[in-house]
Amino acid sequence: QTWTNGINMAGKMALLAWERKTGIRLVQINGQRFYGGPPPGWEGSPPPANAEVYIARLPQDIYEDTLIPLFGSVGKLYEFRLMMTFSGLNRGFAYARYASLQDAQRAIATFHRFPLRPGCAIVVCWSTQKRELVMDGLPASVSRRELQAGLQMVTEGICSVTLHASPCQGQAKLAVLKYRSHKDAALAKKALMEGNLRLGNEGMRVDWLDPQVKKKLQLCEEEPSPSWVQRNESLAVPRPVLLSLQNVLEGLEVMRWKHHLRTPLFITRCVHVNPNGWQKFWYQVVIPGYHMPISGFTWVPPDRLGQSKQEKAMVLVALHILWVLGESLHSQLPAF
């Protein structure tokens, strides 16, 4: 911690002085630091998503006190996102979303190959607006409904989930996740890569969906939905789902009753909080009648949906226990 605090102290102090002077508030979430979205005094609807530019080859010790005034000099900024490392340096790239396409075009014309420092020309181009992720190495037993429920607990802006047989990992599954915006997808990618969704498979990988992979998947038939999904809901435009502790525990109660198990005892404890507000919980669940305690760790996102962190931890733990019991009890059934 002492080492990270000492990184580029002069730059950090200049940034804090600029924030106090301008009254601008920067918010850091999952490795991205945000300005605006909307900025103070904004009126009307958000600008189109394609009015965003990508900025690369930034010196790692340059911050918003230099970048926001610079990029705001050619047009009205709606949002500015600087990618950050845990040590407090920037990751060398950022995104600036403008009030109009004309402002974004002007930023590209003005600042592409602009010498931010002697010998340091930055790259400025249109943002590609990637919104699709691929998760490979999922358990063969995972359902689309279970996966979508878990994703809605740890990410925001999920629009659709499709499941396919994994081309690389035998009986495993591959999922394509489509998000509402590039920002939502980027935040989701980071959260999922940090292990904030537990599905019982350590070999799971998350990355941007490659266009060639997308074409191959489009030629293959998507895994069919269960009949009850086809009758009752469309996952192409999913309805928001609020998983409460009560309805998850009700599902666990049905599983417990069906297999003659007794009431589970939950123990949860927060063991770590990262700089972005995520809390790491250790848990252990003892179910009388089941052959062993179930324990592990789960990450809980910052406050949302009006639930306490303890309640959100219990929801995630209960979902994992449902999956473990389902897998274990299914494996005990005789083969036909």
Side-chain angles (χ1 to χ4, degrees):
Q1 188 65 38
T2 301
W3 178 80
T4 60
N5 286 341
I7 293 287
N8 191 30
M9 184 55 68
K12 291 180 181 179
M13 295 304 294
L15 176 64
L16 291 173
W18 175 77
E19 287 183 275
R20 286 194 295 266
K21 180 180 177 181
T22 60
I24 286 176
R25 182 171 177 264
L26 303 175
V27 178
Q28 185 164 327
I29 302 174
N30 284 347
Q32 299 191 40
R33 198 155 62 199
F34 294 84
Y35 158 77
W42 180 271
E43 295 181 0
S45 301
N50 58 0
E52 183 175 84
V53 301
Y54 170 69
I55 307 156
R57 297 185 185 173
L58 293 170
Q60 285 193 279
D61 58 349
I62 280 184
Y63 300 115
E64 292 88 345
D65 55 320
T66 297
L67 297 172
I68 288 177
L70 179 67
F71 282 90
S73 68
V74 295
K76 185 173 179 59
L77 281 173
Y78 175 78
E79 182 179 73
F80 191 90
R81 297 183 284 132
L82 182 63
M83 307 300 116
M84 300 298 297
T85 69
F86 179 73
S87 67
L89 296 172
N90 77 62
R91 293 170 58 197
F93 66 100
Y95 296 89
R97 186 174 174 186
Y98 284 90
S100 67
L101 290 171
Q102 292 78 12
D103 287 347
Q105 178 65 61
R106 193 177 303 114
I108 294 172
T110 304
F111 295 123
H112 182 53
R113 297 181 180 174
F114 178 79
L116 199 57
R117 286 179 179 169
C120 180
I122 60 175
V123 170
V124 182
C125 59
W126 292 107
S127 171
T128 56
Q129 290 297 306
K130 293 185 287 188
R131 298 190 297 139
E132 292 178 299
L133 301 176
V134 61
M135 296 178 69
D136 198 4
L138 293 167
S141 61
V142 72
S143 69
R144 181 158 51 172
R145 183 180 179 87
E146 177 189 8
L147 178 58
Q148 180 147 335
L151 289 167
Q152 287 174 327
M153 287 297 300
V154 300
T155 71
E156 293 185 354
I158 184 75
C159 293
S160 66
V161 176
T162 57
L163 278 176
H164 307 264
S166 172
C168 305
Q169 297 199 38
Q171 297 301 314
K173 288 184 182 177
L174 173 149
V176 174
L177 320 176
K178 187 171 183 179
Y179 281 84
R180 179 178 52 203
S181 67
H182 174 71
K183 179 174 74 173
D184 288 336
L187 289 172
K189 180 175 179 287
K190 187 172 190 302
L192 295 170
M193 287 177 67
E194 290 178 349
N196 293 325
L197 179 65
R198 292 180 58 86
L199 290 170
N201 194 336
E202 296 182 358
M204 187 177 71
R205 298 193 307 274
V206 182
D207 208 342
W208 295 107
L209 178 61
D210 182 88
Q212 295 302 317
V213 173
K214 183 175 182 178
K215 286 182 181 178
K216 290 179 182 178
L217 292 176
Q218 287 172 342
L219 296 175
C220 303
E221 184 179 357
E222 179 192 347
E223 179 181 281
S225 304
S227 58
W228 58 265
V229 171
Q230 295 171 354
R231 288 195 306 269
N232 297 330
E233 62 179 307
S234 169
L235 285 176
V237 185
R239 294 192 299 268
V241 175
L242 173 58
L243 286 176
S244 70
L245 180 58
Q246 180 179 350
N247 57 37
V248 175
L249 289 180
E250 285 175 356
L252 188 56
E253 178 68 13
V254 171
M255 176 76 76
R256 182 189 72 77
W257 177 84
K258 185 176 180 181
H259 295 281
H260 310 291
L261 302 173
R262 295 172 63 188
T263 303
L265 172 64
F266 286 79
I267 304 171
T268 60
R269 183 169 67 248
C270 180
V271 295
H272 176 69
V273 181
N274 76 13
N276 300 323
W278 288 77
Q279 293 191 0
K280 186 176 185 179
F281 277 78
W282 171 84
Y283 65 86
Q284 184 174 77
V285 181
V286 178
I287 308 174
Y290 191 65
H291 64 280
M292 61 180 291
I294 303 170
S295 61
F297 295 90
T298 188
W299 284 93
V300 174
D303 289 336
R304 54 187 286 210
L305 303 178
Q307 293 173 308
S308 69
K309 286 187 171 63
Q310 192 73 32
E311 182 177 352
K312 284 185 283 190
M314 288 284 285
V315 170
L316 292 170
V317 170
L319 280 172
H320 183 58
I321 298 306
L322 271 172
W323 180 85
V324 170
L325 288 178
E327 282 287 282
S328 175
L329 296 170
H330 177 74
S331 67
Q332 296 173 18
L333 295 176
F336 293 97

